[in-house]
């Protein structure tokens, strides 16, 4: 079946689900929800997957972009979580998403603040982590081992570091995803290719073990969806649909630094957080020159917002941590944007590894699958790296007699060759597109070959062809989908504003009926939220 998602397919499948009973209804289309839709569909089950907003609208697009082996969990004694992370990292690197996930080097600068005993402790942890790599079956050429660098070599990789007192650095390797939202899009499209009906802008108003009452957010129409099993994968919002689930949300904020803010940074950085033994801020350079710096871990009380704010206190905290290792401090003006996400952490009663509660930074990242009295299966906790295992466990619980999961080695869209993938057009390096689209890069380039105007760069290295592709094949329904999730142009407000006309033009070129009249501009926000990236 075709993997393309667009407004035409949405309208057809929206009509279909009103007149049938599906095997599995999945609510929530972040990484875990999309993963559950894929897992169930790949087992041969009929699937409908809905989201009130868009693919990757919530926590899944606000991650640190790490696909990691769980070293921090190993250090805190959570061996099972660490091993699971290493196994899932290996699956992404080798089988399911090698086009989107790859190894990346990280430096821990050995500044005067990092004592020799701490450096030895961290290196021992790196070596234990490398042992998990071996246990998970990930080849060393795919994920190199740790080493110690001289100060000279360290400064070549990170010239912005303060040289005074620098003893070198500890070099480690871990996985990273080019774009977490694009990973979710690939998962959802792969589910669609296996027959899942993937429907955005469909809000679940109420759940039961045999279906849901749903509202089409584009038209306001309400209808019922009947299902033999229901999976609640709405993450930090799960308690609103399954009151039995109690969560302690935690806010993680990242800064987006302007290109050139840290010179030619050739590796990620782990910067020790003062007063914390095993917590580090992450500095991660991006392909477009931007640099992400994160992240905070602050408890959030009260109602859960659709789009959380990045408070100025978080911005100041991250700048202070970063500047503790730099030769020249990064100024507030160097911060082009910021974003914040909410982690769906389990409370003490449900968290397997946290019987006594404590700080959100100390809560277990182990996931849990909880079945309510009426049969709704809720999957919560966990992290981006382990989305596939979370999805598998949720489907196992919801459909205990179904065939076994097939997703551990199932390539996502873009991970295997398709005809025309080697096509080229002027102005775009194949590597730039391959990093985002894998073997579909040639098809994106073909759009610009047919219409050279689509080869124009809009912002952040993104072309008009990519926006058109997102409308025709990736389910983008309005400019927010294009700028905030299919691409990350919206992380920098001025880039977002400059790209709005191109996004509207791409929607106008989309499939027939892609956007109802009046919806080619920015979506009205009646809930008080703001476009992603604004501080």
């Amino acid at each position: 079946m075709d993997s393309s998602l667009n407004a035409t397919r949405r309208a057809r499948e929206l009509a279909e689900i009103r007149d049938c009973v599906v095997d599995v209804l999945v609510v929530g289309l972040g990484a875990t929800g999309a993963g559950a839709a894929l897992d169930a569909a790949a087992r041969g089950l009929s699937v409908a997957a809905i989201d009130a907003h868009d693919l990757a609208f919530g926590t899944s697009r606000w991650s640190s972009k790490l696909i990691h082996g769980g070293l921090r969990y190993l250090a805190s004694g959570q061996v099972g979580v660490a091993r699971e992370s290493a196994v899932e990292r290996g699956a992404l690197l080798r089988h399911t998403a090698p086009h989107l996930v790859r190894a990346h080097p990280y430096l821990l600068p050995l500044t005067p603040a990092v004592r020799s005993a701490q450096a030895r402790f961290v290196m021992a942890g790196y070596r234990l982590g490398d042992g998990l790599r071996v246990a998970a079956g990930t080849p060393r050429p795919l994920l190199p081992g740790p080493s110690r660098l001289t100060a000279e070599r360290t400064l070549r990789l990170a010239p912005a570091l303060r040289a005074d007192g620098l003893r070198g650095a500890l070099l480690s390797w871990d996985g990273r995803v080019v774009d977490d939202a694009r990973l979710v899009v690939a998962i959802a499209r792969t589910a669609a290719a296996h027959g899942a009906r993937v429907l955005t802008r469909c809000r679940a108003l109420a759940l039961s073990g045999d279906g849901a009452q749903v509202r089409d957010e584009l038209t306001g129409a309400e209808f019922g969806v009947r299902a033999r099993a229901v999976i609640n994968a709405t993450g930090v919002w799960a308690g609103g649909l399954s009151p039995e689930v109690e969560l302690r949300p935690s806010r993680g904020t990242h800064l987006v630094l302007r290109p050139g803010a840290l010179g030619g940074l050739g590796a990620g950085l782990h910067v020790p957080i003062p007063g914390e033994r095993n917590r580090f801020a992450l500095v991660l350079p991006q392909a477009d020159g931007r640099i992400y710096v994160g992240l905070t871990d602050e408890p959030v009380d009260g109602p859960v917002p659709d789009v959380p704010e990045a408070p100025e206190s978080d911005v100041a905290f991250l700048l202070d941590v970063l500047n503790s290792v730099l030769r020249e401090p990064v100024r507030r003006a160097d911060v082009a944007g910021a974003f914040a996400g909410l982690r769906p952490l389990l409370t003490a009663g449900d968290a397997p590894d946290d019987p006594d509660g404590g700080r959100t930074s100390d809560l277990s990242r182990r996931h849990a699958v909880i079945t309510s009295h009426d049969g709704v299966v809720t999957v919560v906790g966990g992290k981006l790296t382990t989305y596939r295992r979370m999805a598998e466990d949720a489907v196992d619980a919801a459909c205990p007699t179904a065939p076994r999961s097939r997703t551990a080695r199932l390539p996502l869209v873009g991970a295997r060759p398709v005809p025309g993938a080697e096509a080229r057009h002027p102005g775009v390096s194949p590597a730039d597109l391959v990093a985002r689209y894998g073997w579909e890069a040639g098809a994106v380039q073909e759009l610009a070959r047919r219409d050279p105007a689509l080869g124009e760069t809009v912002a952040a290295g993104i072309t008009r062809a990519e926006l058109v592709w997102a409308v025709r094949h990736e389910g983008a329904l309005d400019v927010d989908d294009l700028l905030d999730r299919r691409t990350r142009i919206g992380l920098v407000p001025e880039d977002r504003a400059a790209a709005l006309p191109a996004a509207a033009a791409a929607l106008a070129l989309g499939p027939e009926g892609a956007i109802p009249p009046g919806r080619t501009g920015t979506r009205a926000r009646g809930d008080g939220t703001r476009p992603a990236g604004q501080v």
Side-chain angles (χ1 to χ4, degrees), residues 424-445:
R424 309 169 71 94
H425 71 81
V428 175
S429 164
D432 295 337
L433 282 184
V434 170
R436 296 191 288 273
Y437 298 91
W439 284 101
E440 287 192 321
V444 179
Q445 289 174 303

Side-chain angles (χ1 to χ4, degrees), residues 320-529:
D320 285 346
V321 173
L322 174 62
N323 287 334
S324 69
V325 298
L326 298 183
R327 183 180 66 254
E328 297 291 338
V330 171
R331 306 297 182 185
R332 182 62 178 81
D334 295 316
V335 179
F339 59 89
L342 300 180
R343 306 176 187 87
L345 304 181
L346 293 164
T347 61
D350 290 320
D353 298 319
D354 188 54
D356 300 316
R359 301 182 308 170
T360 55
S361 60
D362 295 328
L363 288 180
S364 173
R365 266 44 171 185
R366 182 185 296 277
H367 66 272
V369 177
I370 303 165
T371 303
S372 67
H373 66 279
D374 62 355
V376 174
V377 172
T378 299
V379 55
V380 287
K383 51 195 178 297
L384 181 66
T385 305
T386 59
Y387 83 87
R388 192 210 62 81
R389 178 58 186 272
M390 294 170 66
E392 177 183 333
D393 289 351
V395 176
D396 282 346
C399 307
T401 62
R404 295 180 62 181
S405 176
R406 298 178 48 228
T407 55
R409 290 176 175 263
L410 183 64
L412 301 182
V413 165
R416 61 170 45 151
V418 296
E422 73 285 353
R424 309 169 71 94
H425 71 81
V428 175
S429 164
D432 295 337
L433 282 184
V434 170
R436 296 191 288 273
Y437 298 91
W439 284 101
E440 287 192 321
V444 179
Q445 289 174 303
E446 181 66 11
L447 291 176
R449 189 190 68 78
R450 294 177 180 178
D451 182 355
L454 297 183
E456 176 187 344
T457 298
V458 176
I462 303 299
T463 65
R464 289 178 179 267
E466 294 177 74
L467 301 181
V468 172
W469 179 267
V471 173
R472 295 181 178 176
H473 302 286
E474 296 181 342
L477 298 181
D478 66 10
V479 296
D480 292 350
D481 294 353
L482 288 172
L483 302 181
D484 298 335
R485 289 169 288 277
R486 303 310 180 275
T487 72
R488 309 316 285 273
I489 292 173
L491 289 175
V492 176
E494 55 261 39
D495 288 349
R496 191 181 201 281
L500 282 173
L507 291 165
L509 290 173
E512 184 67 20
I515 301 296
R519 290 189 60 84
T520 57
T522 302
R523 187 165 67 250
R525 295 178 181 269
D527 57 3
T529 61

Side-chain angles (χ1 to χ4, degrees), residues 77-441:
Q78 300 176 48
V79 179
V81 178
R83 186 182 185 283
E84 182 177 271
S85 297
V87 169
E88 294 303 318
R89 176 186 62 187
L92 284 159
L93 285 166
R94 300 178 66 191
H95 306 297
T96 61
H99 59 310
L100 297 175
V101 177
R102 62 207 59 177
H104 192 79
Y106 301 89
L107 301 178
L108 171 61
L110 298 178
T111 67
V114 180
R115 298 183 177 180
S116 297
Q118 183 183 9
R120 289 193 296 271
F121 177 81
V122 172
M123 179 55 83
Y126 287 165
R127 289 176 177 140
L128 287 173
D130 193 51
L132 284 178
R133 173 198 60 78
V134 174
T138 305
R140 184 178 290 282
L142 202 57
L143 196 66
S147 60
R148 180 163 177 163
L149 303 183
T150 65
E152 180 182 10
R153 175 61 175 154
T154 300
L155 291 171
R156 284 203 298 269
L157 288 170
L161 290 174
R162 186 183 302 122
D164 293 346
L166 186 67
R167 308 191 307 277
L170 303 183
L171 172 66
S172 62
W173 291 78
D174 215 335
R176 66 170 291 182
V177 63
V178 171
D179 186 327
D180 45 10
R182 293 206 57 77
L183 176 63
V184 177
V185 171
I187 299 166
R189 289 185 56 208
T190 309
H194 282 78
R197 298 176 174 95
V198 178
L199 302 166
T200 60
R201 306 311 196 282
C202 290
R203 182 182 297 275
L205 302 175
L207 296 185
S208 63
D210 59 359
Q213 186 67 17
V214 177
R215 182 174 65 223
D216 181 349
E217 296 291 77
L218 296 185
T219 66
E222 295 188 13
F223 56 94
V225 177
R226 293 174 295 164
R228 297 179 180 89
V230 177
I231 296 174
N232 176 8
T234 54
V236 75
W237 296 276
L241 292 171
S242 298
E244 302 93 337
V245 178
E246 296 184 18
L247 300 175
R248 293 179 60 191
S250 166
R251 183 184 66 246
T253 295
H254 291 81
L255 309 182
V256 182
L257 303 185
R258 301 183 189 281
L262 294 181
L265 186 60
L269 297 178
H270 290 140
V271 182
I273 294 177
E276 300 281 354
R277 182 178 180 185
N278 293 315
R279 288 189 62 209
F280 302 89
L282 173 71
V283 182
L284 191 59
Q286 305 299 305
D288 61 9
R290 297 171 177 174
I291 297 170
Y292 297 163
V293 181
L295 79 167
T296 60
D297 201 328
E298 298 295 330
V300 175
D301 298 318
V304 179
D306 281 349
V307 181
E309 297 282 350
E312 195 62 33
S313 58
D314 284 5
V315 176
F317 168 78
L318 289 170
L319 284 178
D320 285 346
V321 173
L322 174 62
N323 287 334
S324 69
V325 298
L326 298 183
R327 183 180 66 254
E328 297 291 338
V330 171
R331 306 297 182 185
R332 182 62 178 81
D334 295 316
V335 179
F339 59 89
L342 300 180
R343 306 176 187 87
L345 304 181
L346 293 164
T347 61
D350 290 320
D353 298 319
D354 188 54
D356 300 316
R359 301 182 308 170
T360 55
S361 60
D362 295 328
L363 288 180
S364 173
R365 266 44 171 185
R366 182 185 296 277
H367 66 272
V369 177
I370 303 165
T371 303
S372 67
H373 66 279
D374 62 355
V376 174
V377 172
T378 299
V379 55
V380 287
K383 51 195 178 297
L384 181 66
T385 305
T386 59
Y387 83 87
R388 192 210 62 81
R389 178 58 186 272
M390 294 170 66
E392 177 183 333
D393 289 351
V395 176
D396 282 346
C399 307
T401 62
R404 295 180 62 181
S405 176
R406 298 178 48 228
T407 55
R409 290 176 175 263
L410 183 64
L412 301 182
V413 165
R416 61 170 45 151
V418 296
E422 73 285 353
R424 309 169 71 94
H425 71 81
V428 175
S429 164
D432 295 337
L433 282 184
V434 170
R436 296 191 288 273
Y437 298 91
W439 284 101
E440 287 192 321

